[in-house]
C-alpha cells in the first residue's frame, strides 16, 4: 500500500514529481470515453521509465500463443489489447534544449485528474541556466465527440525572453510491451497533409485488417489571442509532425491547442477514413477548444447526475468510490454491442482480451443501476452474438451445447493456460446468471424470447454433457475444474461450479415454461429451431435434483471442493508479511497445496444465491472461508465486503470497502503500474450499493437494508430501477428515499413496503 495522491473529493492530485512511481501515476491518470482512451502520459518527450499507451476499443491483435508445452485444444492466439498510434505527443524546445521532465530541474509540479469534469491538468516550472519557464497543460478525451482529443499547452517564460518550438506529432511506430515475440503489430498505410493543413496517419494491423486514421491540427495563441503562423510540416515512416516557433517575452504566454481525431474501419469504410477524420477535425476546430471542453463537461455532468455516490465524513472513501465510477464510465458507455469491458480498460496492456466473466459477475450490476436499460442489455447481446463460437468451443472439447470462452475479443477463446481455458468453466454459469440478474432487475422478459432462452438452453446443454454420474456417490459430479479460487486447479466438485450448473439447468427449464406462457408461437419456433424435447429436459431436471454438493458435516457448511478439508487449515493471518502476496513469493505447487483462497469461491455462491441461505448459514460460511482468503484477485474484497455488511461485520466491511475502492489509488496489490483494475471497480460500486445500501431485487421490488459505517456522517447514491431514478440517502438517524424521475415504484426497506409516486409522494423518510 502506498501514499501516492492527495485526498480530495473530486480530484486525483499528484503534488510531487516522482520518477520512481511514474508508471503508477500514468495508470492512475488514465482517461477515456468508451471508444478510446490513454494512460496519463506526458505530451512532451520523457526519457525516464514510462509506458506510453493509447488504446482504441475493439481494436486488438491475435498474438501467436506462447506456452512452454503445447496442449491440444489451446487457442492459436492470445489476444492483445493493442497499443496504437501515440496521439498526444508535442515535443517542446525551449531555446533549443528539449523539455524532458526526466532531465530538467522541476519546481511546483502539480497534476490533477479532475473526475467531475473529466480532464487532466498539469503545471510545473522548470529551471535551466537560471531561466525559469512555467508550463500549464490541459487534456481531455471528449465524452461528447467520441473521436476527439484536445490538448492545450501553455508556456510562459518567468525570468527571461525565450524561443519556444512546439512540435506536435502523431506516432504510429508503437509496440506492445507484452508482445509475445517482440513483433510490431502495425503497418503504415498512408501519411501526409490534407488541403486544410491537418496531418494524418493511417495504420493497419498486420493481422485482422483493422485500419486506424488519426488526424491532427493546431491553433496558436499569444496571451489568449489567436495568431497566424507558418508551420514546418514533415513526415517520415509512421510519423507526421508540424513545427511552430514563437519568440516570447518574459511573462507572456504562448498556447498551443492540439486537436486530434481518431477514426477506424470499425465505423467508417477504409476508403473514407482520411476524409472522415479530417471532417470531424475541421468541424471540431471550428467549434473551438472552449466550447468542445464545455460540451464534454456537460456530458460528464449528465453521467454524474445518474451515477454519483456521496459520502459525508470520510474523504478517502468518497474519493475512492468516485474514482471507480469515473474509470468505469471512461471504459464502457454501452453504445456498441461489439464492445465490452477489459480488466485494464484503456489503462494498460496486461490481460489479453476484453471480456472475462468479470463482465457478467460484476460489471453488469453497475450498468444496470446507473445507465439506461439498453446498456446492460448490450452486454448480454454481446454474448448472444458469440453463441456460435461458444458452441464450436464446446465441440472442440468433445462436449455439447455452448462453452463461452474465459477470455475473448470476438467470441473465440484466446486464453491458453489449461487450468483456465479448459477448467474454469464456472464462467458459463456467470453468463446464465447475468441473464437472470438482468431480467430480475429490469423485468424485460421479452429479452428471453428474443435472445436469452437460446443462450440458456445451449449453456444448459453444456452442463448436461459436462457432468458425469458417480455410482459410488449416486450423484452427478463435475470433475477436473478450477473454481473462481484459482489457487486450486483440477479439483473435483467445486461447490460453486456445481451449484451454478444445477441452478442454471433449473432456471433454463423455468425460462422455457415462461416463454411458452408468454408467446406460444415463439416457444414453438424456439423448440423446433433448437430441437429440445421432454426427454432432454427430464435429464436436466434429474441432474439439477441429484447434483453432488460437497459438505463439511461437523461445521455444517459446504466444502469448497472434494477433499478441501484434507488440507492443513490455517488462517491467512498466520502468513508472514514478507510472504505476501503469495503469488509473488511462493512456488505454484506450494500455493496449490495450501488452504489459501485467492478470491471468493463458496462465498461468491453465497452472494449470488443469497436468498437461498439464512443469515446464520451465510455467517458460518463467511467465518470459515474469509479468514483463509488472501484477496489476491482484485475481484475479491468487494464480494466479501457485501457479505460482511449483510452479516453486520461493520469493521470488516469498511476495511474491505477501502481496500476495493482504493485498490489502485493506494496500489494495494503492487501492480497498478501495469494499469488499473477496471472490472473490480464495478465490484467497488457493488460493495457500496449492494453492501452498505443492502440493495437486492426480490419479487420485482427494490429492497434496501442500509447500514452505515460508524465513522461516516451519511451517504447517498442514485440508482435507476425500471425507469425510475431514485436517490437513497442514509444517516445514522434516518433513511430517505426520493423519486427524482419516473412514474413511481413500490420499495421495500428492512422488509416493510413503501410507495413512491410522482404526484405528491416523491419522498419518504424513515428512522434508521
Ligand atoms: C481473477 C479472475 C478474473 C481475472 C481478470 C484473475 O486474477 O482470478 O477471476 O477473471 O483476474 O480480472
Amino acid at each position: 500500500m502506498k501514499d501516492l495522491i492527495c485526498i480530495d473529493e473530486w480530484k486525483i492530485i499528484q503534488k510531487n514529481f516522482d520518477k520512481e512511481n511514474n508508471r503508477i501515476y500514468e495508470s492512475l491518470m488514465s482517461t477515456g470515453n468508451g471508444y478510446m482512451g490513454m494512460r496519463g502520459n506526458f505530451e512532451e518527450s520523457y526519457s525516464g521509465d514510462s509506458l506510453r499507451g493509447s488504446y482504441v476499443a475493439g481494436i486488438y491483435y491475435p498474438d501467436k500463443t506462447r506456452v512452454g508445452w503445447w496442449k491440444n485444444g489451446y487457442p492459436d492466439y492470445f489476444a492483445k489489447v493493442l497499443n496504437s498510434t501515440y496521439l498526444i505527443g508535442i515535443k517542446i524546445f525551449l531555446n533549443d534544449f528539449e523539455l524532458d521532465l526526466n532531465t530538467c530541474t522541476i519546481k511546483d509540479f502539480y497534476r490533477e485528474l479532475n473526475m467531475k469534469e473529466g480532464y487532466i491538468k498539469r503545471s510545473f516550472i522548470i529551471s535551466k541556466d537560471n531561466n525559469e519557464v512555467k508550463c500549464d497543460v490541459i487534456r481531455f478525451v471528449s465524452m461528447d465527440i467520441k473521436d476527439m482529443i484536445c490538448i492545450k499547452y501553455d508556456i510562459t517564460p518567468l525570468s527571461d525572453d525565450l524561443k519556444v518550438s512546439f512540435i506536435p506529432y502523431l506516432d504510429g511506430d508503437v509496440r506492445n510491451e507484452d508482445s509475445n515475440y517482440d513483433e510490431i503489430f502495425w503497418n503504415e498505410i498512408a501519411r501526409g497533409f490534407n488541403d486544410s493543413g491537418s496531418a494524418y496517419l493511417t495504420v493497419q494491423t498486420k493481422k485482422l485488417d483493422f485500419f486506424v486514421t488519426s488526424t491532427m491540427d493546431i491553433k496558436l495563441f499569444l496571451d489568449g489571442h489567436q495568431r497566424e503562423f507558418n508551420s514546418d510540416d514533415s513526415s517520415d515512416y509512421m510519423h507526421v509532425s508540424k513545427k511552430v516557433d514563437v519568440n516570447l517575452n518574459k511573462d507572456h504566454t504562448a498556447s498551443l491547442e492540439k486537436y486530434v481525431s481518431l477514426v477506424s474501419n470499425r465505423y467508417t469504410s477504409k476508403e473514407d477514413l482520411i476524409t472522415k477524420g479530417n471532417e470531424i477535425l475541421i468541424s471540431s476546430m471550428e467549434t473551438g477548444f472552449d466550447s468542445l471542453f464545455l460540451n464534454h463537461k456537460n456530458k460528464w455532468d449528465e453521467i454524474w447526475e445518474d451515477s454519483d455516490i456521496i459520502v459525508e465524513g470520510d474523504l478517502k472513501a468518497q474519493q475512492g468510490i468516485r474514482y471507480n465510477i469515473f474509470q468505469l464510465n471512461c471504459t464502457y458507455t454501452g453504445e456498441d454491442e461489439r464492445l465490452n469491458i477489459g480488466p485494464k480498460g484503456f489503462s494498460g496492456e496486461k490481460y489479453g482480451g476484453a471480456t472475462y466473466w468479470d463482465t457478467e459477475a460484476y460489471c453488469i450490476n453497475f450498468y444496470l443501476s446507473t445507465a439506461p436499460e439498453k446498456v446492460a442489455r448490450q452486454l448480454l447481446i454481446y454474448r448472444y452474438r458469440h453463441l456460435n463460437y461458444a458452441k464450436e468451443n464446446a465441440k472442440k472439447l468433445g462436449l455439447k451445447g455452448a462453452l463461452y470462452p474465459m477470455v475473448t475479443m470476438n467470441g473465440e477463446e484466446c486464453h491458453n493456460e489449461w487450468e483456465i481455458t479448459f477448467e474454469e468453466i464456472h464462467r458459463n454459469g456467470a453468463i446464465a446468471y447475468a441473464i437472470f440478474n438482468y431480467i430480475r432487475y429490469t423485468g424485460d422478459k421479452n429479452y428471453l424470447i428474443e435472445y436469452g432462452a437460446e443462450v440458456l438452453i445451449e449453456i444448459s446443454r453444456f452442463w448436461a454433457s459436462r457432468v458425469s454420474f458417480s455410482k459410488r456417490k449416486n450423484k452427478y459430479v463435475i470433475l477436473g475444474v478450477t473454481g473462481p479460487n484459482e489457487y486450486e486447479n483440477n479439483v473435483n466438485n467445486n461447490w460453486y461450479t456445481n451449484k451454478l450448473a444445477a441452478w442454471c439447468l433449473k432456471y433454463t427449464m423455468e425460462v422455457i415454461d415462461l416463454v411458452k406462457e408468454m408467446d406460444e408461437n415463439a416457444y414453438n419456433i424456439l423448440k423446433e429451431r433448437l430441437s429440445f424435447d421432454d426427454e432432454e429436459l427430464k435429464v436436466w431436471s434429474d441432474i439439477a435434483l441429484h447434483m453432488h454438493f460437497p459438505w463439511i458435516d461437523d461445521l455444517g457448511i459446504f466444502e469448497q471442493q472434494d477433499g478441501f478439508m484434507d488440507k492443513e487449515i490455517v488462517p491467512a493471518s498466520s502468513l508472514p508479511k514478507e510472504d505476501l502476496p503469495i503469488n509473488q513469493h511462493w512456488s505454484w505447487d506450494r500455493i496449490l497445496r495450501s488452504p489459501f483462497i485467492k478470491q471468493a469461491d463458496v462465498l461468491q455462491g453465497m452472494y449470488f444465491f443469497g436468498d437461498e441461505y439464512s443469515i446464520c448459514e451465510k455467517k458460518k460460511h463467511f467465518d470459515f472461508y474469509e479468514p483463509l482468503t488472501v484477496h489476491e484477485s482484485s475481484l475479491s474484497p468487494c464480494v466479501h465486503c457485501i457479505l460482511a455488511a449483510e452479516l453486520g461485520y461493520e469493521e470488516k466491511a469498511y476495511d474491505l470497502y477501502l481496500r476495493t475502492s482504493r485498490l489502485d489509488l493506494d496500489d494495494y496489490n503492487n501492480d497498478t503500474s501495469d494499469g488499473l483494475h477496471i472490472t473490480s471497480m464495478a465490484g467497488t460500486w457493488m460493495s457500496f450499493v449492494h453492501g452498505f445500501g443492502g440493495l437486492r431485487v426480490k419479487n420485482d421490488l427494490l429492497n434496501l437494508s442500509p447500514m452505515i459505517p460508524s465513522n461516516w456522517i451519511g451517504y447517498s447514491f442514485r440508482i435507476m430501477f425500471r425507469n425510475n431514478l431514485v436517490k437513497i440517502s442514509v444517516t445514522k438517524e434516518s433513511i430517505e428515499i426520493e423519486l427524482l424521475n419516473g412514474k413511481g415504484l413500490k420499495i421495500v426497506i428492512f422488509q416493510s413496503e413503501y410507495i413512491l409516486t410522482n404526484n405528491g409522494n416523491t419522498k419518504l423518510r424513515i428512522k434508521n
Side-chain angles (χ1 to χ4, degrees):
M1 194 177 152
K2 302 191 180 78
D3 190 10
L4 295 159
I5 52 156
C6 307
I7 305 298
D8 183 279
E9 60 170 331
W10 277 112
K11 295 170 187 167
I12 305 302
I13 299 170
Q14 176 192 3
K15 279 206 173 142
N16 292 308
F17 182 54
D18 176 357
K19 288 184 196 175
E20 287 291 294
N21 290 315
N22 188 44
R23 280 191 184 227
I24 303 182
Y25 287 106
E26 287 178 337
S27 300
L28 290 177
M29 302 281 170
S30 296
T31 47
N33 61 11
Y35 169 76
M36 64 174 153
M38 63 203 51
R39 290 168 58 80
N41 303 116
F42 300 144
E43 284 76 4
E44 70 279 358
S45 303
Y46 182 69
S47 58
D49 182 39
S50 159
L51 170 62
R52 292 200 335 184
S54 302
Y55 308 94
V56 187
I59 296 201
Y60 66 99
Y61 196 79
D63 200 11
K64 200 165 166 303
T65 297
R66 184 176 188 137
V67 284
W69 199 266
W70 187 268
K71 302 244 182 345
N72 266 350
Y74 273 171
D76 298 331
Y77 70 89
F78 188 84
K80 293 282 152 72
V81 170
L82 200 43
N83 203 341
S84 53
T85 302
Y86 193 62
L87 305 168
I88 63 169
I90 307 177
K91 286 186 184 184
I92 293 185
F93 288 85
L94 305 170
N95 285 343
D96 298 327
F97 79 86
E98 185 164 11
L99 173 55
D100 172 357
L101 293 190
N102 189 40
T103 53
C104 294
T105 310
I106 310 164
K107 239 172 69 179
D108 297 347
F109 182 87
Y110 176 91
R111 174 155 55 161
E112 151 191 333
L113 167 66
N114 186 308
M115 301 185 280
K116 189 165 191 338
E117 301 188 329
Y119 63 86
I120 321 186
K121 168 165 123 175
R122 204 156 49 100
S123 61
F124 50 88
I125 294 173
I126 57 150
S127 2
K128 175 98 180 162
D129 307 331
N130 291 330
N131 287 342
E132 287 198 328
V133 180
K134 185 168 189 307
C135 302
D136 296 276
V137 197
I138 226 165
R139 174 169 93 224
F140 63 93
V141 185
S142 175
M143 255 308 166
D144 183 41
I145 302 174
K146 293 291 179 83
D147 337 72
M148 283 299 301
I149 298 165
C150 303
I151 301 163
K152 187 161 178 274
Y153 208 117
D154 292 351
I155 294 196
T156 315
L158 298 181
S159 46
D160 215 346
D161 296 350
L162 183 78
K163 180 184 157 208
V164 182
S165 301
F166 291 104
I167 309 180
Y169 63 91
L170 300 169
D171 181 12
D173 191 10
V174 173
R175 288 158 195 253
N176 266 60
E177 269 196 356
D178 65 347
S179 156
N180 282 346
Y181 296 92
D182 278 340
E183 263 181 276
I184 296 175
F185 297 152
W186 295 100
N187 279 327
E188 182 190 271
I189 294 295
R191 73 183 128 92
F193 296 85
N194 289 303
D195 291 344
S196 62
S198 58
Y200 64 85
L201 176 66
T202 301
V203 289
Q204 174 202 23
T205 51
K206 287 189 176 164
K207 291 182 196 161
L208 297 184
D209 216 25
F210 287 119
F211 276 58
V212 175
T213 297
S214 21
T215 312
M216 69 153 191
D217 212 339
I218 50 175
K219 287 184 188 173
L220 180 72
F221 295 79
L222 291 181
D223 294 328
H225 301 289
Q226 191 168 354
R227 289 296 157 95
E228 295 292 315
F229 59 89
N230 290 320
S231 84
D232 185 0
D233 298 343
S234 72
S235 95
D236 206 341
Y237 179 70
M238 287 285 201
H239 197 92
V240 283
S241 66
K242 288 176 163 277
K243 180 167 182 278
V244 191
D245 296 327
V246 198
N247 288 313
L248 274 181
N249 294 329
K250 175 174 173 275
D251 292 333
H252 289 272
T253 302
S255 313
L256 184 93
E257 290 179 356
K258 177 177 177 183
Y259 297 77
V260 184
S261 72
L262 182 138
V263 289
S264 76
N265 64 336
R266 287 178 62 82
Y267 302 97
T268 303
S269 69
K270 285 178 201 168
E271 302 69 40
D272 296 335
L273 284 172
I274 296 173
T275 316
K276 175 86 181 179
N278 202 32
E279 273 170 18
I280 296 169
L281 190 82
I282 291 172
S283 94
S284 299
M285 289 182 74
E286 276 166 17
T287 308
F289 188 93
D290 293 344
S291 301
L292 291 172
F293 199 16
L294 188 68
N295 298 341
H296 161 77
K297 289 178 190 173
N298 288 341
K299 286 286 168 194
W300 270 107
D301 269 353
E302 286 169 23
I303 291 172
W304 288 113
E305 186 64 26
D306 291 345
S307 61
D308 192 19
I309 293 185
I310 297 170
V311 181
E312 280 177 76
D314 187 345
L315 271 183
K316 263 190 146 179
Q318 174 68 83
Q319 186 180 40
I321 187 67
R322 284 207 172 117
Y323 187 65
N324 287 253
I325 296 173
F326 175 79
Q327 288 297 346
L328 283 165
N329 280 298
C330 286
T331 306
Y332 183 77
T333 48
E335 282 134 29
D336 181 343
E337 67 181 36
R338 296 168 302 169
L339 299 179
N340 213 283
I341 307 144
K344 296 257 164 268
F346 301 122
S347 68
E349 293 169 12
K350 211 179 145 201
Y351 284 105
T355 316
Y356 285 63
W357 72 302
D358 307 25
T359 295
E360 283 79 16
Y362 295 83
C363 303
I364 200 165
N365 292 298
F366 170 76
Y367 296 101
L368 270 174
S369 294
T370 63
E373 199 168 294
K374 176 182 147 248
V375 174
R377 202 173 203 265
Q378 296 278 54
L379 289 172
L380 298 187
I381 291 177
Y382 174 92
R383 293 293 193 175
Y384 177 79
R385 301 270 182 245
H386 293 175
L387 186 57
N388 280 340
Y389 278 125
K391 282 158 76 174
E392 265 174 45
N393 197 26
K395 205 162 152 194
K396 269 191 220 156
L397 306 188
L399 295 161
K400 296 205 175 103
L403 172 61
Y404 278 94
M406 185 65 188
V407 181
T408 194
M409 276 291 185
N410 65 346
E412 289 171 312
E413 176 64 78
C414 59
H415 198 290
N416 35 44
E417 281 168 86
W418 62 270
E419 63 275 28
I420 291 181
T421 311
F422 304 137
E423 293 199 334
E424 238 187 294
I425 54 175
H426 68 82
R427 78 252 189 172
N428 235 21
I431 289 162
Y433 187 84
I435 296 175
F436 159 78
N437 195 11
Y438 168 81
I439 307 293
R440 175 174 65 174
Y441 197 91
T442 61
D444 174 18
K445 294 192 180 128
N446 278 330
Y447 182 80
L448 293 171
I449 297 179
E450 278 180 78
Y451 306 104
E454 186 176 346
V455 171
L456 288 167
I457 288 167
E458 296 298 356
I459 290 181
S460 288
R461 285 181 165 156
F462 167 80
W463 290 124
S465 71
R466 183 63 169 77
V467 299
S468 29
F469 188 75
S470 156
K471 282 199 186 141
R472 268 185 84 190
K473 288 190 163 67
N474 202 22
K475 293 271 179 186
Y476 290 93
V477 292
I478 305 185
L479 307 177
V481 300
T482 292
N485 171 18
E486 292 175 343
Y487 289 178
E488 303 276 355
N489 291 159
N490 205 247
V491 299
N492 293 338
N493 296 308
N494 166 256
W495 174 79
Y496 170 77
T497 307
N498 288 18
K499 171 74 195 167
L500 265 181
W503 165 83
C504 176
L505 291 164
K506 221 168 121 247
Y507 177 58
T508 306
M509 288 185 286
E510 283 165 26
V511 164
I512 291 174
D513 287 345
L514 186 70
V515 170
K516 190 171 179 187
E517 200 182 299
M518 286 195 304
D519 185 340
E520 180 97 30
N521 191 34
Y523 167 79
N524 287 331
I525 296 172
L526 190 72
K527 190 166 179 200
E528 185 162 333
R529 198 156 60 81
L530 301 189
S531 45
F532 58 87
D533 55 21
D534 290 350
E535 257 326 286
E536 188 173 14
L537 302 193
K538 236 167 83 191
V539 174
W540 293 3
S541 165
D542 193 52
I543 298 169
L545 266 175
H546 300 104
M547 181 67 86
H548 166 61
F549 296 118
W551 177 255
I552 311 170
D553 231 356
D554 48 335
L555 299 179
I557 59 172
F558 294 111
E559 190 176 17
Q560 186 178 268
Q561 75 251 2
D562 285 352
F564 181 76
M565 287 308 282
D566 293 336
K567 296 192 168 204
E568 193 187 330
I569 304 292
V570 286
S573 58
S574 66
L575 285 165
K577 266 214 165 65
E578 56 279 12
D579 285 15
L580 294 174
I582 55 173
N583 67 20
Q584 287 173 20
H585 296 94
W586 283 15
S587 72
W588 189 241
D589 93 294
R590 186 173 176 196
I591 290 179
L592 292 180
R593 283 183 279 110
S594 84
F596 301 118
I597 298 174
K598 182 181 182 190
Q599 67 199 90
D601 192 297
V602 173
L603 295 180
Q604 182 78 35
M606 290 283 137
Y607 165 61
F608 270 3
F609 302 107
D611 290 351
E612 294 181 28
Y613 305 102
S614 68
I615 288 288
C616 172
E617 286 169 314
K618 285 185 224 178
K619 215 176 199 126
K620 277 204 251 176
H621 284 88
F622 188 92
D623 291 350
F624 180 75
Y625 285 110
E626 198 283 330
L628 300 176
T629 308
V630 283
H631 301 292
E632 287 179 12
S633 158
S634 63
L635 299 176
S636 188
C638 53
V639 177
H640 291 90
C641 170
I642 298 171
L643 287 168
E646 186 181 3
L647 299 175
Y649 293 153
E650 187 201 308
E651 208 176 307
K652 186 94 204 161
Y654 179 74
D655 283 354
L656 289 165
Y657 166 74
L658 273 196
R659 179 157 177 176
T660 174
S661 66
R662 302 189 60 86
L663 187 90
D664 288 315
L665 292 178
D666 298 336
D667 196 15
Y668 264 89
N669 287 0
N670 212 13
D671 60 358
T672 300
S673 51
D674 296 333
L676 304 172
H677 298 83
I678 298 292
T679 48
S680 84
M681 293 188 173
T684 297
W685 181 91
M686 284 156 62
S687 355
F688 206 109
V689 175
H690 295 190
F692 299 144
L695 183 147
R696 303 284 185 278
V697 177
K698 293 181 193 165
N699 306 321
D700 286 326
L701 298 181
L702 194 62
N703 282 238
L704 296 161
S705 40
M707 57 91 72
I708 174 165
S710 57
N711 58 329
W712 291 7
I713 298 168
Y715 65 86
S716 69
F717 60 87
R718 290 163 181 225
I719 48 159
M720 298 278 286
F721 183 71
R722 307 204 175 182
N723 299 321
N724 294 293
L725 179 63
V726 184
K727 180 175 174 196
I728 293 110
S729 311
V730 180
T731 63
K732 289 188 185 109
E733 293 74 41
S734 69
I735 297 166
E736 196 178 279
I737 318 285
E738 188 181 355
L739 179 66
L740 300 176
N741 218 320
K743 290 198 175 122
L745 73 166
K746 204 189 253 180
I747 198 163
V748 180
I749 307 174
F750 293 126
Q751 276 124 46
S752 303
E753 285 186 10
Y754 301 87
I755 291 178
L756 289 173
T757 61
N758 64 1
N759 51 357
N761 228 358
T762 52
K763 222 183 208 181
L764 74 91
R765 187 184 196 146
I766 59 168
K767 273 187 83 154
N768 195 0

